[in-house]
């Protein structure tokens, strides 16, 4: 294995070459995209995705082989989180509350231990890594476009359905894999075949579209990704991009801005006038409807979080891990889930750790925000592998280190933080 022997400013790691990181990054990216539905499921219906084992195994492998280091600041924050969780469990026991599910504690801590690993690379190698994800998502965008074409021609019964193809023991359950546009609608929201549900496909397409806008800027790929995102009919990705758009506008080159204003904006207006966004507009009114998905994902978790913050009994301890209310309409943010189960102190420490790991040394904070926003506020599940793997790939794992010699890896000096 070839490696560039240039130490970073702290002398803690080397800037690895493409042979050291492209394969591991590719394994993580491809498994995150195409293996979401594959898991180990018990007879009771509970299970865990195989992508969790791939993620943890790959990260430990590149650490043990010297390709990755444990970031000292993140490690310190993670140890602080561990101590806070332990304190909460002990406090719950002394307070006479049930300690809760210890496996839930273990899963939570193990899956977020993945954020302590870091690989320093040149900018060129970082772009090569990202391009693997881009190619994988181009395929998904084309699949979603094809799903809509099939649905409005011969019918969605001809969609490939992994629930029918694979045995139940190998499927991850508990997600809206086949989701109608609306109640009793004959039309289904495209899921990209390989994704657990349409909202996750939308989130991944938003990540790919943002990366394309920031770095690669190939018009044909932007067209496919944007078409796939709109054809997906799910609001998660569009909402994430809309929230980060003020930052993205400052990063676009003039050519893309001219195309957006001269071609993109008129096309969007024309499509809107012809009812192309009627489904998304209907969903935009959900925040005022108490029986809607939007209300359950955004308004209720916010109200619950404010209520828990104001309750002094949840300051240092909670009701126990795994004790949060469960049900079809119970959507939780990391904030209210952690306050309820471990207390406000643990929730604050977790968010400090998460934000530092994902935003502290990433090669693109704009892209990291597109990943973070759904994780923090859209209720996708705090330990959902599909979300945590994106935090790793586009937040914590890759850092473009300042180079003493710009010839290493073909990159330019400095950390890329678009």
């Amino acid at each position: 294995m070839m490696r560039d022997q240039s130490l970073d400013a702290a002398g803690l790691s080397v800037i690895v070459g493409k042979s050291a990181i492209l394969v591991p990054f590719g394994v993580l990216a491809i498994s995150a995209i195409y293996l979401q539905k594959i898991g180990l499921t018990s007879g009771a219906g509970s299970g865990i995705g195989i992508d969790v084992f791939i993620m943890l195994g790959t990260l430990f492998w590149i650490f043990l082989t010297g390709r990755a280091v444990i970031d000292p600041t993140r490690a310190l924050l993670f140890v602080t989180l561990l101590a806070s969780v332990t304190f909460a469990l002990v406090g719950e026991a002394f307070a006479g509350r049930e300690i809760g599910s210890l496996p839930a504690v273990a899963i939570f801590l193990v899956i977020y231990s993945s954020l302590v690993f870091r690989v320093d690379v040149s900018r060129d190698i970082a772009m090569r890594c990202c391009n693997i994800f881009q190619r994988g998502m181009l395929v998904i965008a084309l699949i979603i476009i094809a799903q809509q074409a099939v649905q409005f021609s011969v019918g969605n019964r001809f969609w490939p359905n992994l629930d029918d193809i694979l045995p139940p023991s190998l499927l991850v359950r508990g997600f809206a894999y086949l989701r109608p546009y609306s109640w009793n609608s004959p039309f289904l929201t495209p899921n990209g075949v390989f994704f657990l549900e349409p909202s996750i496909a939308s989130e991944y397409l938003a990540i790919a579209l943002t990366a394309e806008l920031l770095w690669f800027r190939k018009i044909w790929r932007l067209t496919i990704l944007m078409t796939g995102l709109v054809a997906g009919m799910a609001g998660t990705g569009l909402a994430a991009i809309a929230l980060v758009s003020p930052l993205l506008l400052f990063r676009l080159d003039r050519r893309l801005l001219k195309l957006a204003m001269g071609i993109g904006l008129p096309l969007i207006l024309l499509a809107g006038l012809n009812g192309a966004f009627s489904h998304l507009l209907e969903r935009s009114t959900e925040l005022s409807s108490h029986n809607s998905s939007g209300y359950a994902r955004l308004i209720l978790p916010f109200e619950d979080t404010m209520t828990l913050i104001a309750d002094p009994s949840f300051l240092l301890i909670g009701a126990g891990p795994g004790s949060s209310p469960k049900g079809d309409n119970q959507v939780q943010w990391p904030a209210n889930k952690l306050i309820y189960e471990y207390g406000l102190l643990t929730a604050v420490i977790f968010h400090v750790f998460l934000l530092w790991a994902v935003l502290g040394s990433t090669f693109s904070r704009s892209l990291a925000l597109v990943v973070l926003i759904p994780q923090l506020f859209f209720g996708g599940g705090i330990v959902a592998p599909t979300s945590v793997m994106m935090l790793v790939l586009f937040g914590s794992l890759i850092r473009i280190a300042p180079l003493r010699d710009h010839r290493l890896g073909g990159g330019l000096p400095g950390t890329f933080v678009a």
Side-chain angles (χ1 to χ4, degrees):
M1 178 184 68
M2 297 183 63
R3 180 184 299 172
D4 297 323
Q5 299 294 329
S6 176
L7 295 178
D8 67 7
L12 294 170
S13 66
V14 295
I15 301 171
V16 299
K18 65 180 181 180
S19 60
I21 191 59
L22 280 180
V23 172
F25 191 97
V27 169
L28 292 174
I30 298 305
S31 64
I33 296 171
Y34 296 107
L35 298 181
Q36 294 183 17
K37 288 279 290 179
I38 311 300
L40 304 176
T41 305
S42 66
S46 60
I48 188 168
I50 193 174
D51 47 0
V52 175
F53 301 102
I54 293 174
M55 179 182 72
L56 295 174
T58 301
L59 291 174
F60 280 113
W61 171 52
I62 61 176
F63 171 69
L64 293 175
T65 55
R67 310 177 192 193
V69 299
I70 293 179
D71 184 277
T73 305
R74 298 182 208 166
L76 178 61
L77 288 171
F78 184 76
V79 170
T80 305
L81 175 64
L82 178 61
S84 177
V85 168
T86 304
F87 176 82
L89 294 178
V90 173
E92 288 161 6
F94 275 104
R97 302 180 185 180
E98 293 186 8
I99 294 180
S101 171
L102 292 180
V105 180
I107 292 173
F108 168 59
L109 292 173
V110 168
I111 200 166
Y112 277 98
S113 68
S114 60
L115 300 186
V116 304
F117 298 101
R118 192 190 79 216
V119 178
D120 290 354
V121 300
S122 68
R123 184 180 185 276
D124 177 69
I125 294 173
M127 297 303 99
R128 288 171 183 260
C129 289
C130 185
N131 202 35
I132 298 173
F133 180 80
Q134 297 299 98
R135 291 171 179 172
M137 288 310 302
L138 282 169
V139 175
I140 296 299
L142 291 172
I143 290 175
I144 288 176
I145 295 169
Q147 283 185 302
Q148 288 288 39
V150 169
Q151 174 164 245
F152 287 101
S153 56
V154 295
N156 53 42
R157 65 185 181 279
F158 292 100
W159 285 4
N161 187 341
L162 294 184
D163 286 343
D164 295 333
I165 296 173
L166 299 175
S169 59
L170 294 179
L171 291 169
V172 175
R173 305 177 189 176
F175 293 85
Y177 183 62
L178 297 178
R179 189 181 73 195
Y181 279 6
S182 57
W183 181 256
N184 284 333
S185 172
F187 302 110
L188 297 177
T189 308
N191 53 27
V193 177
F194 298 97
F195 281 73
L196 288 169
E197 61 181 40
S199 61
I200 301 175
S202 178
E203 178 186 347
Y204 277 43
L205 283 170
I207 294 170
L209 180 62
T210 303
E212 196 67 36
L213 287 169
L214 288 172
W215 305 316
F216 305 105
R217 299 169 180 172
K218 295 181 179 179
I219 301 302
W220 69 272
R221 297 209 310 194
L222 285 169
T223 302
I224 293 174
L225 292 170
M226 176 58 79
T227 303
L229 182 60
V230 174
M233 304 299 290
T236 299
L238 291 171
I241 289 181
L243 291 171
V244 184
S245 59
L247 291 175
L248 293 178
L249 287 176
F250 288 104
R251 302 294 176 181
L252 295 181
D253 61 15
R254 293 181 179 179
R255 181 173 62 104
L256 287 179
L257 283 175
K258 289 179 179 179
L259 285 173
M261 297 300 294
I263 300 177
L265 186 59
L267 286 177
I268 291 174
L269 291 175
L270 181 62
L273 292 174
N274 285 276
F277 303 117
S278 58
H279 172 65
L280 294 176
L281 292 174
E282 289 173 4
R283 297 210 65 186
S284 67
T285 64
E286 289 184 357
L287 296 182
S288 60
S289 174
H290 288 232
N291 296 321
S292 69
S293 171
Y295 189 87
R297 284 177 178 267
L298 295 174
I299 304 301
L300 278 180
F302 175 77
E303 293 176 346
D304 289 344
T305 300
M306 293 299 101
T307 301
L308 290 168
I309 290 175
D311 189 339
S313 66
F314 285 94
L315 179 60
L316 299 177
I317 61 176
S323 62
S324 297
K326 298 176 177 61
D328 293 339
N329 295 321
Q330 295 292 336
V331 179
Q332 293 180 315
W333 293 352
N336 63 327
K337 178 178 176 63
L338 290 175
I339 297 173
Y340 186 87
E341 297 186 2
Y342 300 97
L344 179 60
L345 176 63
T346 296
V348 170
I349 293 173
F350 168 79
H351 281 78
V352 172
F353 166 66
L354 178 64
L355 293 175
W356 179 264
V358 176
L359 297 175
S361 61
T362 181
F363 60 91
S364 172
R365 294 192 178 98
S366 300
L367 181 59
L369 284 173
V370 175
V371 177
L372 265 175
I373 287 171
Q375 172 72 351
L376 292 176
F377 303 115
F378 292 176
I382 186 172
V383 295
T386 52
S387 298
V388 177
M389 290 185 81
M390 291 299 101
L391 294 174
V392 170
L393 288 176
F394 297 106
S396 62
L397 182 60
I398 297 293
R399 184 182 77 162
I400 299 180
L403 302 180
R404 289 192 176 94
D405 185 349
H406 72 275
R407 292 171 296 178
L408 296 179
L412 298 175
T415 303
F416 188 67
V417 291

